[in-house]
Amino acid sequence: MVLVVLGSDSDLATMEQATARLEKLDVAYELTICSAHRTPDRAAELARTAAQRGFRVILAGAGAAAHLPGVLAAYTTLPVIGVPLSGSQLQGVDALYAIVQMPSGVPVATVGIDAAANAALLACEILALSDDDLKQRLKAARQEMVAAVEAKARQYGRRFP
Ligand code: RP5
């Protein structure tokens, strides 16, 4: 249901934050590696066939001159969420600018640098528009987050004097 594309195996550790969220929310995904620069034909084919293969959203993580999300978006009207990845000499600012500054007509929803978990949650929110069970699981996850912050407030909160 969610196609997760990485520009390189060196992106795996960060992008696994996305797949962990998808697994926690019981959302099916397929993860693959494909480079806009090193394997441009494969990138085009992946995006062209994604909808007919049953995918509803694409997550694409890439670093450096990160054209992967934009190239995928060029070949499909499925929503594409781009994750700019750090690790380059410019620490992800290069990837952020490359992904977020799409020309008019071909949108890529862009999350923060290395924000793979948020990309997965955004993908789930898109899917939840037509999936009430997933909507409930997302609400439950928000409640867990509220409880975790409240527990930290109890643990670390203090007054002086
Ligand atoms: C990008 O170049 C990849 O997404 C990766 O973040 C970066 C470096 O790739 P490797 O040289 O580690 O394969 O295309």
Side-chain angles (χ1 to χ4, degrees):
M1 190 166 259
V2 178
L3 177 60
V4 182
V5 189
L6 283 58
S8 166
D9 61 329
S10 62
D11 302 328
L12 195 55
T14 303
M15 289 304 289
E16 278 179 337
Q17 294 171 32
T19 55
R21 289 294 173 133
L22 295 174
E23 287 173 23
K24 194 167 179 212
L25 287 160
D26 201 21
V27 170
Y29 68 87
E30 183 176 305
L31 180 148
T32 191
I33 294 172
C34 177
S35 166
H37 305 108
R38 294 167 178 156
T39 60
D41 292 343
R42 181 169 145 69
E45 182 67 9
L46 257 184
R48 271 202 194 105
T49 58
Q52 75 203 43
R53 292 180 58 216
F55 296 110
R56 307 275 306 277
V57 185
I58 298 176
L59 294 192
H67 294 104
L68 180 64
V71 167
L72 296 175
Y75 288 101
T76 182
T77 54
L78 290 176
V80 175
I81 303 170
V83 186
L85 298 175
S86 63
S88 68
Q89 290 83 349
L90 297 180
Q91 298 177 334
V93 174
D94 42 1
L96 172 66
Y97 285 175
I99 295 173
V100 81
Q101 290 287 21
M102 285 296 290
S104 177
V106 185
V108 170
T110 309
V111 295
I113 296 171
D114 290 339
N118 264 2
L121 290 171
L122 182 56
C124 291
E125 289 178 359
I126 292 169
L127 296 172
L129 290 171
S130 55
D131 183 337
D132 285 340
D133 289 344
L134 178 55
K135 195 181 297 174
Q136 290 313 313
R137 296 200 292 281
L138 275 170
K139 282 184 179 170
R142 286 277 176 108
Q143 284 312 310
E144 272 179 39
M145 193 169 59
V146 168
V149 173
E150 285 173 353
K152 285 175 193 166
R154 283 192 297 276
Q155 185 177 354
Y156 297 110
R158 66 183 73 172
R159 296 174 77 173
F160 176 86

